[in-house]
C-alpha cells in the first residue's frame, strides 16, 4: 500500500503527460497525493475496522470513502465520483470508469494473512455469494 501511494505521488506530475522515460527525479515540488491515495487510505480504514464477517464492509467503505473524500475534494476525483461524494441521499452506484480501482485495493493485504484467507474471505464470497 505504501508503494502504491508513493507511486501515486511520484507519478502525479505526469497525470496528463505521456512520459515514457525512466530517467526523472522521483520527488519534485510538482508531486502531490491524488484521489487514488485518498481512496486507498479510506478503504484501508474500512478494512481495519470491519467486524470480521464482511457484512459491514460495504457500509464502512462507503462511510470512509465519503468522509475522507469530502475532506480532500480537489484532488482529481472524476465528475461522477465527485457528485457521489457529496450526494445527500444514501449513495448509489455512480457509473465509475474504474481506472483507480487497481491502486485503491492495495489495502486488501491488511485483510488477510495468506492467499488461502484471501480466497476464503473474498473470492468465494463474491463468486458464490457465500
Amino acid at each position: 500500500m505504501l508503494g502504491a501511494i508513493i507511486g501515486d505521488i511520484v507519478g502525479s506530475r505526469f497525470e496528463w503527460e505521456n512520459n515514457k522515460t525512466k530517467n526523472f527525479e522521483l520527488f519534485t515540488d510538482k508531486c502531490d497525493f491524488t484521489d487514488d491515495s485518498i481512496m486507498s487510505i479510506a478503504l484501508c480504514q474500512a478494512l481495519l475496522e470491519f467486524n470480521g464477517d464482511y457484512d459491514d464492509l460495504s457500509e464502512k467503505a462507503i462511510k470512509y470513502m465519503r468522509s475522507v473524500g469530502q475532506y480532500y475534494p480537489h484532488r482529481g476525483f472524476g465528475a461522477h465520483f465527485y457528485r457521489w461524494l457529496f450526494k445527500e441521499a444514501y449513495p448509489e452506484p455512480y457509473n465509475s470508469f474504474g481506472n483507480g480501482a487497481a491502486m485503491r485495493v492495495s489495502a486488501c493485504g491488511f485483510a488477510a494473512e495468506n492467499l488461502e484467507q484471501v480466497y476464503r474471505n473474498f473470492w468465494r464470497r463474491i463468486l458464490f455469494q457465500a
Side-chain angles (χ1 to χ4, degrees):
M1 184 174 152
L2 293 176
I5 291 172
I6 290 168
D8 183 47
I9 293 168
V10 169
S12 64
R13 70 181 190 266
F14 302 119
E15 183 82 21
W16 304 110
E17 294 178 25
N18 192 7
N19 181 36
K20 294 186 180 199
T21 181
K22 295 177 185 172
N23 186 20
F24 59 87
E25 200 174 338
L26 289 181
F27 295 101
T28 72
D29 59 351
K30 294 179 182 177
C31 296
D32 211 345
F33 63 95
T34 73
D35 58 328
D36 291 323
S37 289
I38 293 164
M39 289 299 106
S40 296
I41 291 166
L43 290 174
C44 182
Q45 186 70 32
L47 285 165
L48 292 174
E49 290 191 11
F50 80 104
N51 68 15
D53 66 6
Y54 297 90
D55 288 338
D56 68 340
L57 186 55
S58 292
E59 287 181 25
K60 289 201 181 294
I62 290 168
K63 172 187 170 184
Y64 287 112
M65 288 172 74
R66 286 174 48 96
S67 65
V68 176
Q70 288 172 5
Y71 194 78
Y72 296 100
H74 303 293
R75 286 295 167 170
F77 294 110
H80 292 287
F81 192 84
Y82 186 88
R83 282 192 293 277
W84 178 85
L85 278 178
F86 292 96
K87 187 174 183 177
E88 292 292 325
Y90 186 79
E92 297 175 358
Y94 55 89
N95 300 315
S96 169
F97 293 111
N99 56 349
M103 177 183 169
R104 295 173 186 183
V105 299
S106 61
C108 287
F110 291 115
E113 294 182 17
N114 55 49
L115 191 56
E116 181 182 330
Q117 276 188 341
V118 171
Y119 174 73
R120 186 174 61 247
N121 295 339
F122 290 105
W123 294 114
R124 187 177 56 172
R125 183 174 180 86
I126 291 168
L127 294 174
F128 304 110
Q129 301 299 309

